[in-house]
Amino acid sequence: MSNTDTHTDHSRAGDPGPEDTAAEDATAALTRDEADAREIGAAGSQLSTAPREEPLLSGPTLGPIGWVRWFWRQLTSMRIALLLLLMLSLAAIPGSLIPQTSADQNKVDTFITEHTTLGPLYDKLQLFHVYSSVWFSAIYILLFISLIGCIIPRTWQFVGQLRGRPPGAPSRLTRLPAYTTWRTDAEPEAVREAALAILKRRRFRAHVVGDAVAAEKGYLRETGNLMFHVALIVMLLAFASGSLFKSEGGKLILEGDQDGFSNTLSQYDDFTSGPLFDTANLAPFSFSLDDFIGTYERSGPEIGTARKFQADIHYSAGPGDTEHKGVIKENHPLKIEGSNVYLISHGYAPSVTVKDGKGKVVFHGTTPMLPFDKNLSSSGAIKVMDGYRDKNGKKDQLGFAALFVPTFGGKGQMLSQFPATDFPVLNIGAYHGDLGVDSGIPQNVYQLNTKVLKPFKDAKGQILKQSLLPGDTMKLPGGAGSITFDKGPVKEWASFQVTHQPGELWALGGAIAAILGLAGSLFIQRRRVWVKAVTGPDGVTVLEMAGLGRSESAKLPEELGDLAVTLIPEAPPAPDPDADDAGEASAAVAPADHAEGAEK
């Protein structure tokens, strides 16, 4: 009896209403799905090695061992791994917004001093050293364990699948999402042999099971999935090693300075390292700055824009190594002994000569100035700490607050108009007294603490200041001496950053492998195909083809249809005795009676 007839009979009897009919339909659909699962059986198993997901809030009732097993399954589930990855990304945000002790301890101290409430709170929460904090490490380790716990069983299961063979065909191929059938006069054995050869040519793993050929393809999907997870572990290990064993330091070097730089801790202007880095392992290389070349746009809307920054150096990889010439440019570091030497900034270092009241030279040399605008207007401090005596023969110290402009813009324009030294001017303010260098308190070599110094006064009683051209001299009052802006080209300096970051290549390789693995897991479909050939009741061979994929895809019916077209020459359709035209026969890829979207 049809469903319509059944419904009509119930209506006449007055028993179930529309709600009961809907419930019966739902029950029938559920029963049909269960029947499908039983029919497909092993044919649909092991299409993926993904672990079975369990409800997050459904705890076990098996005691302590059950709780441990439940916790382990939750930790190694995909949703927890993604959650931990998100938490790790969020946990890294404070490290880029709040000063870190590993990068600049002075900034941390300044922050704590200026923020009397937040500073101590951040310190207790370990926000000044985020990447070595307990909570960040806990997330990192849990993510690492989650990935390991996910990969090992999946790999073991995948290896087992590779060693096995595709399962045999289910009893009813019509239950599968993609299906086609036709009758042929070819013998069943010949059909199976032809199907086996075609599937193997198309890189299916295929074999004959009973009266059907079972084939499978798309193992690279799971390979890509495993590659992605392994790559994440490699990246985590690379980042961890880079954080623990890294070192980074800065050094300012004057061009033409023969002493240059040697890779020892005392040579750095500033230095930071990971907690497990040993300074005794610093590579013994050295280098000197021969010449710095900087060119700038001379006209147009981009006037003053840098066009070329280049540091010509000579370097040695160790005490016994010969000197080599090299060039360091922006984004083109010098790679030496596992370290990268980057060019990060540059500026000018005017040369001055300071004499005491008797004409004795007490200081002669270059002083680096720090730029504070795009045209390299620079400030600095010239400090004469030893050898100077005042007019009474008493030991004293001199300090000069200096402002250097490479291109002077005229009176009232004390900022540089262009970054090149077209019209260099050095403005000097003179002081004397105790510079504080012997107090034991660290101070900035580029700044002068004028609060504790006595200024030299001019005839008007103002602080003695004067703008000097190359070759000009400023006399100090009362026969206290003089300072001269030396003639000749103004020397330049370059600042270099020496970075040792282990694990960089591993991190790069892991990132590339992760992208490739993710692409494979997203765009490759794992699918199975069966070709069944049996002799029908009338002695004619009945050929059935069906396909099953891990997920619904329009490509599966297309691929099955293409296989059917390829197989037809080996198993041509037999005439249909029920057709109007006995010579007319065709094969079509059709969906199962409960599936949608299969193509003809």
Side-chain angles (χ1 to χ4, degrees):
M1 181 180 293
S2 67
N3 289 339
T4 304
D5 294 337
T6 303
H7 175 69
T8 303
D9 292 343
H10 283 301
S11 298
R12 289 173 182 173
D15 293 334
E19 295 82 0
D20 297 328
T21 304
E24 289 179 2
D25 292 342
T27 302
L30 180 62
T31 304
R32 184 177 61 190
D33 292 339
E34 294 175 350
D36 290 347
R38 287 194 299 268
E39 286 287 345
I40 295 175
S45 66
Q46 295 185 346
L47 274 174
S48 170
T49 59
R52 180 173 59 89
E53 296 282 347
E54 294 184 356
L56 187 60
L57 299 178
S58 61
T61 57
L62 301 177
I65 296 178
W67 278 105
V68 171
R69 184 181 294 112
W70 176 84
F71 177 79
W72 175 253
R73 288 178 178 175
Q74 296 299 329
L75 180 61
T76 57
S77 65
M78 180 60 67
R79 60 170 172 257
I80 295 298
L82 293 175
L83 180 61
L84 289 172
L85 192 60
L86 176 62
M87 290 175 62
L88 191 69
S89 302
L90 295 176
I93 293 177
S96 60
L97 300 178
I98 300 173
Q100 299 294 294
T101 55
S102 60
D104 194 333
Q105 180 65 49
N106 292 330
K107 286 186 177 180
V108 174
D109 295 338
T110 302
F111 185 93
I112 295 176
T113 303
E114 295 178 350
H115 302 81
T116 56
T117 302
L118 286 179
L121 178 62
Y122 283 1
D123 193 23
K124 290 181 180 179
L125 295 177
Q126 301 179 320
L127 294 179
F128 293 123
H129 44 93
V130 167
Y131 305 112
S132 59
S133 64
V134 173
W135 48 271
F136 188 88
S137 301
I139 299 173
Y140 200 92
I141 293 172
L142 284 175
L143 177 60
F144 189 81
I145 295 174
S146 177
L147 292 174
I148 291 290
C150 182
I151 287 175
I152 292 177
R154 293 186 71 159
T155 303
W156 185 258
Q157 183 178 352
F158 186 54
V159 170
Q161 293 180 14
L162 292 177
R163 296 177 62 184
R165 290 187 171 189
S171 57
R172 296 179 61 187
L173 293 179
T174 54
R175 293 285 188 182
L176 301 183
Y179 173 81
T180 185
T181 182
W182 71 89
R183 293 153 45 89
T184 179
D185 290 329
E187 295 296 326
E189 294 79 2
V191 173
R192 288 192 289 268
E193 290 178 3
L196 182 64
I198 291 173
L199 290 168
K200 286 186 174 181
R201 283 200 302 268
R202 300 196 173 209
R203 297 188 302 277
F204 278 84
R205 293 179 64 216
H207 68 120
V208 178
V209 183
D211 55 7
V213 177
E216 189 169 7
K217 193 177 183 181
Y219 289 93
L220 286 178
R221 178 188 182 94
E222 192 61 33
T223 303
N225 202 334
L226 293 174
M227 181 189 299
F228 174 75
H229 285 78
V230 172
L232 285 182
I233 292 178
V234 171
M235 292 172 64
L236 289 175
L237 289 175
F239 293 148
S241 65
S243 177
L244 294 174
F245 297 97
K246 72 175 182 179
S247 67
E248 184 176 275
K251 179 64 176 178
L252 185 149
I253 303 177
L254 289 170
E255 61 180 358
D257 185 359
Q258 296 302 315
D259 293 336
F261 167 77
S262 297
N263 192 31
T264 58
L265 187 61
S266 60
Q267 287 278 300
Y268 283 98
D269 296 332
D270 58 83
F271 184 83
T272 59
S273 63
L276 299 183
F277 180 80
D278 186 358
T279 55
N281 295 329
L282 287 170
F285 64 85
S286 61
F287 66 93
S288 297
L289 177 62
D290 298 328
D291 187 26
F292 181 85
I293 302 172
T295 60
Y296 309 90
E297 187 66 41
R298 288 282 177 179
S299 60
E302 296 184 355
I303 185 171
T305 302
R307 293 305 181 195
K308 181 180 182 181
F309 282 162
Q310 175 178 313
D312 295 335
I313 66 167
H314 64 271
Y315 65 94
S316 173
D321 188 28
T322 58
E323 289 189 345
H324 311 275
K325 290 186 177 181
V327 174
I328 303 178
K329 300 179 181 179
E330 62 277 12
N331 300 322
H332 290 82
L334 171 68
K335 299 180 183 295
I336 179 172
E337 296 297 309
S339 298
N340 292 331
V341 182
Y342 295 92
L343 174 64
I344 58 175
S345 62
H346 85 103
Y348 293 101
S351 176
V352 298
T353 299
V354 180
K355 297 179 181 180
D356 62 13
K358 296 181 179 180
K360 178 184 175 182
V361 176
V362 294
F363 177 85
H364 174 69
T366 55
T367 302
M369 301 288 170
L370 298 182
F372 57 83
D373 65 15
K374 66 177 182 178
N375 287 325
L376 300 186
S377 301
S378 308
S379 63
I382 302 170
K383 300 179 182 181
V384 181
M385 296 173 285
D386 299 311
Y388 175 76
R389 293 179 183 271
D390 61 16
K391 62 180 180 179
N392 299 320
K394 185 179 179 181
K395 288 185 177 181
D396 201 1
Q397 294 178 333
L398 297 178
F400 300 93
L403 176 65
F404 176 77
V405 289
T407 300
F408 184 56
K411 189 175 181 180
Q413 296 287 335
M414 221 24 238
L415 294 179
S416 179
Q417 305 301 301
F418 194 75
T421 52
D422 294 344
F423 188 8
V425 170
L426 181 64
N427 183 270
I428 295 292
Y431 300 83
H432 69 99
D434 185 4
L435 296 175
V437 294
D438 300 324
S439 63
I441 301 175
Q443 58 177 254
N444 193 328
V445 297
Y446 303 105
Q447 292 181 353
L448 195 66
N449 186 4
T450 58
K451 294 182 179 180
V452 298
L453 296 175
K454 298 178 181 179
F456 285 100
K457 300 293 184 67
D458 58 15
K460 297 180 180 181
Q462 302 295 324
I463 297 175
L464 180 63
K465 292 183 179 181
Q466 186 174 336
S467 295
L468 305 177
L469 296 175
D472 288 350
T473 298
M474 182 177 77
K475 297 286 186 178
L476 300 178
S482 64
I483 180 171
T484 301
F485 182 14
D486 297 333
K487 286 185 177 181
V490 179
K491 285 190 174 183
E492 296 185 69
W493 57 261
S495 181
F496 299 91
Q497 185 179 71
V498 182
T499 302
H500 175 69
Q501 189 81 28
E504 284 183 330
L505 294 179
W506 284 101
L508 176 61
I512 295 174
I515 293 174
L516 294 176
L518 185 61
S521 63
L522 291 177
F523 299 111
I524 298 176
Q525 185 189 18
R526 183 93 172 267
R527 64 270 194 200
R528 290 170 179 165
V529 171
W530 292 272
V531 180
K532 189 174 184 179
V534 296
T535 303
D538 56 354
V540 179
T541 300
V542 177
L543 190 154
E544 293 180 287
M545 296 182 66
L548 177 66
R550 179 182 173 183
S551 58
E552 294 183 4
S553 172
K555 293 184 178 180
L556 180 62
E558 292 177 3
E559 186 173 30
L560 188 68
D562 187 46
L563 288 171
V565 171
T566 307
L567 185 58
I568 282 178
E570 304 295 334
D576 188 350
D578 297 331
D580 295 335
D581 187 355
E584 199 177 296
S586 63
V589 179
D593 52 5
H594 64 285
E596 297 180 0
E599 296 185 9
K600 293 290 183 181

